[in-house]
Amino acid sequence: MDLTVIWAFIIAFAVFAYVVMDGFDLGIGILFPAFAAGRERDRAMNSIAPVWDGNETWLVLGGGGLFAAFPLAYAVILPATYPLIIAMLLGLVFRGVAFEYRWRDPGHQKFWDMAFTGGSFVAALAQGMTLGALLQGIEVVDRAYAGSWWDWLTPYTLLTGLGTVAGYALLGASWLIWKLDGEEQAHARKLAIRWGAATIVLMGAVSLYNIALKPEYAARWLTAPEIYWVAPVPIVTAIVALSMLRAILKDRNSKPFWLGIALFFLGMSGLGVTIWPNVVPPGVTIWDAAAPERSQIFMLVGVALTMPLIIGYTAWAYWVFRGKVADEGYH
């Protein structure tokens, strides 16, 4: 049993869980200016109030797992993306503070609403650009980052950043379709159609850009026999995307959200196929970056104990607060 591969999938799962769970929280922040001040904004916030801070647990697990299981990758990726990581963390701080203070400081609610939107947008954009910076390749010499402070800023990373913003907004709108009713739900459907279309277009643009980005990426997707293994990914992605738009238009409640999650899963699967087995393209594989085997075994025991607990209390929180959102919130 290859422990390095197991750890790669554990971290990929943690990242996916974070992207999905905190993604719709950030998406609601991105959409916040489109909501009417007062009841609509309050209900949108109330829909995520019981779960938003717990969703960030997966960010800690993903980042901590990368540091522990793939220390070389952590040591290379962080210096290459410091400005983006700092921007993301500051955005998350502003989002969290604004979430609490807009209720406790009603005299400055407009300011806190702006902070909520700004923090959510910056965090989402920084996450997408970090992904783009990783995919476009990081210069490594003697097992250390050898690039400049601005290598992360390219047209490709801006495209992946905007794609992430659009995807999070789609998840946020589809979550509100599920959790709201009446006029607010109808408004969320309109937003979901717009951001769903934008997400599909940007996913397609990133996919095409990937093929042109590096010859090895093109070879992975366009040459035999690899093409026979990877061809189902774009085909199933197109089917899921069309099904999601149809579910939004057909007044389904939860189905658009689950199909949006499936769309993210397929997108992340495609990116995984593109760079595998590298953890830092173009030349650092998961085995190059892995911690010693004994360290991996020790940490795996901890994950085996804690991950079921995290999944359990997360599922319980969502179960307790299932159903439509009322006007009153936990505050």
Side-chain angles (χ1 to χ4, degrees):
M1 186 178 296
D2 193 330
L3 291 175
T4 300
V5 174
I6 292 173
W7 268 104
F9 278 96
I10 289 173
I11 293 173
F13 173 78
V15 171
F16 174 71
Y18 171 76
V19 166
V20 169
M21 293 186 184
D22 207 35
F24 68 80
D25 296 348
L26 294 172
I28 289 174
I30 294 166
L31 296 172
F32 216 59
F35 303 146
R39 185 173 186 267
E40 187 173 21
R41 290 187 178 182
D42 290 347
R43 293 191 76 197
M45 273 199 156
N46 287 341
S47 73
I48 58 173
V51 296
W52 72 272
D53 47 354
N55 291 340
E56 295 180 357
T57 303
W58 298 103
L59 179 63
V60 177
L61 179 59
L66 182 68
F67 173 75
F70 301 101
L72 176 60
Y74 186 91
V76 170
I77 295 171
L78 264 290
T81 58
Y82 268 141
L84 295 172
I85 299 300
I86 292 170
M88 179 192 72
L89 294 176
L90 289 175
L92 292 175
V93 168
F94 268 86
R95 188 274 300 263
V97 172
F99 194 101
E100 298 293 337
Y101 273 79
R102 79 176 298 272
W103 303 93
R104 305 180 189 279
D105 183 21
H108 299 90
Q109 193 172 84
K110 289 184 178 179
F111 170 79
W112 295 118
D113 286 352
M114 290 173 58
F116 183 61
T117 297
S120 298
F121 177 83
V122 169
L125 184 68
Q127 290 174 14
M129 292 183 71
T130 300
L131 174 64
L134 179 63
L135 289 169
Q136 73 181 4
I138 296 175
E139 186 178 353
V140 179
V141 176
D142 295 331
R143 296 171 61 86
Y145 176 58
S148 72
W149 181 258
W150 297 104
D151 282 5
W152 54 268
L153 184 58
T154 65
Y156 177 72
T157 61
L158 290 171
L159 183 63
T160 56
L162 292 175
T164 302
V165 169
Y168 283 1
L170 166 64
L171 289 179
S174 58
W175 172 259
L176 293 178
I177 291 172
W178 187 6
K179 303 299 288 186
L180 301 182
D181 52 19
E183 295 180 0
E184 290 89 356
Q185 186 189 58
H187 189 197
R189 287 191 189 280
K190 294 178 182 178
L191 293 172
I193 284 293
R194 296 170 192 167
W195 288 100
T199 300
I200 293 168
V201 170
L202 288 168
M203 282 185 69
V206 170
S207 300
L208 293 175
Y209 207 137
N210 281 341
I211 294 174
L213 196 62
K214 292 182 180 296
E216 54 266 35
Y217 291 175
R220 180 65 58 87
W221 286 96
L222 300 178
T223 60
E226 288 86 352
I227 190 172
Y228 305 124
W229 294 100
V230 301
V233 176
I235 295 172
V236 175
T237 301
I239 294 172
V240 168
L242 293 175
S243 299
M244 180 190 67
L245 294 177
R246 185 175 182 274
I248 296 171
L249 293 171
K250 291 291 185 179
D251 294 340
R252 301 292 190 266
N253 278 329
S254 63
K255 194 173 181 180
F257 180 72
W258 295 114
L259 289 172
I261 290 177
L263 190 65
F264 263 81
F265 174 78
L266 290 166
M268 292 185 67
S269 298
L271 295 177
V273 168
T274 299
I275 68 171
W276 179 265
N278 293 323
V279 64
V280 182
V284 180
T285 68
I286 59 174
W287 297 280
D288 296 330
E293 182 179 1
R294 296 178 71 177
S295 298
Q296 293 184 43
I297 294 172
F298 177 78
M299 294 181 296
L300 193 61
V301 174
V303 169
L305 294 173
T306 58
M307 185 173 283
L309 293 175
I310 297 172
I311 294 172
Y313 75 64
T314 300
W316 176 249
Y318 280 89
W319 173 254
V320 169
F321 293 98
R322 66 194 183 278
K324 298 292 185 181
V325 175
D327 289 335
E328 65 275 5
Y330 75 25
H331 293 83

